[in-house]
């Protein structure tokens, strides 16, 4: 098999250190909403960048974590790029001479386009915001379907300002794309796909939480990303699946899973899902199942959501129906249900979890409210040999 390059080689390597580049995330009018899922995800988790501010004038002054319904993140939501630049942390001052000097305010390194509209395209206002950020000297990271490097005006502004444009969704040249070749059969570890009943329902968040929680529990786990947000956050392996020509999608994702196995020999590979297998418009879940051939699936569901997020005339599927479809199509088994608490309170979530456990016969929990450890419990209940204490001494 040909070597598979990193999914976003031009971006900084993931790190948990404070040396991460700083970033402002643009999410005008949509932070903490469905079309703001890229910004939402970056605030919750980012190994590539240290997020210093989110731009959304409709909730100016909020803490980004609290706006998401989580704990305070210490990341302010501001109304403009100029306000975002003003809140960048000042450089440390550790001497009498530096204390007497004016305090410099460093410019953030990157402007991340944090909107994920159904069209994958910019509005005129979005375009103006990108050009303003280029003028301020910030590199641009975008997950849109329209590539900034191919835009004559934006590219000219970037060249004049000496900044870089990073189009996360741009696939490799067609000549370098790979077809499915069955190499996945040589991946000798547990593969868990995080699938869902709709798009923008929390699959990436659950995949990220599960991977980190497995590591904390002493299980060597690696995540393979399949969307632009996961790659921005720091997934070392993966592809922006919805931007790859259909002929090559299964092979490209297979290659990413194989690359994760060959590089790290993990006990578990967690594969981020996309869309839903039953979704009338999105086909990515079929690719995830064919490419990674997961032995197990955790299903993400939002009991409070009655219609599909981008298709308000289409009713949400029932969790039981999606589970049956996944197990039949993917020749796999669903080992747990992750609940998205959208539009629900704690009491409703607890009642829903109990009902699903009774109806489906699998554990159910909200990983954001109940803790990611519940996801680990789902995995270890299905695969008890993974538990560190179950490993024979000297093995």
């Amino acid at each position: 098999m040909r070597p598979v390059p990193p999914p976003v080689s031009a971006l900084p390597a993931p790190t948990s250190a404070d040396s991460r580049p700083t970033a402002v995330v643009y999410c005008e009018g949509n932070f903490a909403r469905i079309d703001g899922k890229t910004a939402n995800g970056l605030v919750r988790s980012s190994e590539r960048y240290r997020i210093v501010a989110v731009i959304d004038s409709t909730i100016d002054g909020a803490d980004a974590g609290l706006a998401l319904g989580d704990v305070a993140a210490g990341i302010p939501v501001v109304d403009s790029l100029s306000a975002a630049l003003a809140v960048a942390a000042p450089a440390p001052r550790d001497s009498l001479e530096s204390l007497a000097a004016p305090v410099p305010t460093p410019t953030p390194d990157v402007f991340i386009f944090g909107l994920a509209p159904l069209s994958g395209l910019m509005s005129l206002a979005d375009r103006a915001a990108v050009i303003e950020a280029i003028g301020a000297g910030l590199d641009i990271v975008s997950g849109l379907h329209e590539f900034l490097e191919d835009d004559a005006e934006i590219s000219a502004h970037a060249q004049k300002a000496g900044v870089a444009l990073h189009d996360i969704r741009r696939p490799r040249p067609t000549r370098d794309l790979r077809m499915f070749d069955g190499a996945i059969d040589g991946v000798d570890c547990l593969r868990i796909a995080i699938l869902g009943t709709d798009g923008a329902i929390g699959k990436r968040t659950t995949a990220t939480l599960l991977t980190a929680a497995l590591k904390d529990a002493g299980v060597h786990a690696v995540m393979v990303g399949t969307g632009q947000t996961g790659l921005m956050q720091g997934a070392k392996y993966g592809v922006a699946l919805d931007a790859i020509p259909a002929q090559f999608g299964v092979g490209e994702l297979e290659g990413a899973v194989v690359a994760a196995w060959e590089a790290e020999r993990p006990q578990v590979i967690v594969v981020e899902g996309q869309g839903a297998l039953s979704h009338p418009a999105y086909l990515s879940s079929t690719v995830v199942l064919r490419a990674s051939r997961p032995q197990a699936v955790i299903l993400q569901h939002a009991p409070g959501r009655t219609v599909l997020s981008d298709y308000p005339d289409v009713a949400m599927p029932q969790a039981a129906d999606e589970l049956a479809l996944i197990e039949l199509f993917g020749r796999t088994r669903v080992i747990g249900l992750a609940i998205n608490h959208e539009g629900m309170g704690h009491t409703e979530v607890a009642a829903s979890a109990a009902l699903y456990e009774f109806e489906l016969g699998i554990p159910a929990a909200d990983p954001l409210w109940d803790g990611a450890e519940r996801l680990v419990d789902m995995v270890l209940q299905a695969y008890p040999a993974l538990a560190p204490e179950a490993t024979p001494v000297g093995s």
Side-chain angles (χ1 to χ4, degrees), residues 190 192-194 207 210-211 214 221-225 268-272:
L190 175 62
I192 303 173
I194 311 300
L210 173 59
T211 305
L214 284 170
V222 173
M223 176 178 158
V224 172
V268 178
I269 294 178
V270 178
V271 183
E272 174 196 5

Side-chain angles (χ1 to χ4, degrees), residues 194-221:
I194 311 300
L195 303 182
T197 52
D198 191 10
I201 203 167
K203 297 179 292 291
R204 183 198 65 257
T205 296
T206 292
T208 303
L209 291 172
L210 173 59
T211 305
L214 284 170
K215 291 178 182 178
D216 290 343
V219 179
H220 184 192

Side-chain angles (χ1 to χ4, degrees), residues 12-40:
T15 175
S16 58
D18 287 338
S19 58
R20 288 172 295 174
T22 54
V24 169
V25 182
Y26 172 79
C27 195
E28 179 57 33
N30 282 278
F31 187 65
R33 301 180 183 180
I34 287 175
D35 281 357
K37 64 182 181 179
T38 294
N40 303 344

Side-chain angles (χ1 to χ4, degrees), residues 14-159:
T15 175
S16 58
D18 287 338
S19 58
R20 288 172 295 174
T22 54
V24 169
V25 182
Y26 172 79
C27 195
E28 179 57 33
N30 282 278
F31 187 65
R33 301 180 183 180
I34 287 175
D35 281 357
K37 64 182 181 179
T38 294
N40 303 344
L42 287 165
V43 166
R44 286 188 167 124
S45 174
S46 177
E47 295 179 85
R48 290 194 198 278
Y49 301 103
R50 180 166 64 88
I51 309 303
V52 297
V54 174
I55 299 173
D56 183 350
S57 64
T58 64
I59 51 171
D60 179 28
D63 176 275
L66 294 177
L68 291 171
D70 302 335
V71 298
I75 299 171
V77 181
V78 297
D79 65 355
S80 63
L81 178 61
S82 60
L85 299 178
V87 301
R93 312 177 77 195
D94 53 7
S95 69
L96 290 176
E97 182 179 352
S98 67
L99 288 172
V103 179
T105 300
T107 299
D109 302 292
V110 173
F111 176 95
I112 299 177
F113 193 92
L115 293 165
L118 176 62
S119 66
L121 306 175
M122 287 183 291
S123 68
L124 291 177
D126 297 336
R127 183 183 186 83
V130 169
I131 292 173
E132 180 187 11
I134 291 172
L138 279 66
D139 289 346
I140 310 296
V141 175
S142 168
L144 294 169
H145 279 298
E146 60 175 324
F147 301 140
L148 302 185
E149 286 184 308
D150 296 344
D151 184 295
E153 182 186 17
I154 289 176
S155 183
H157 279 287
Q159 186 173 7

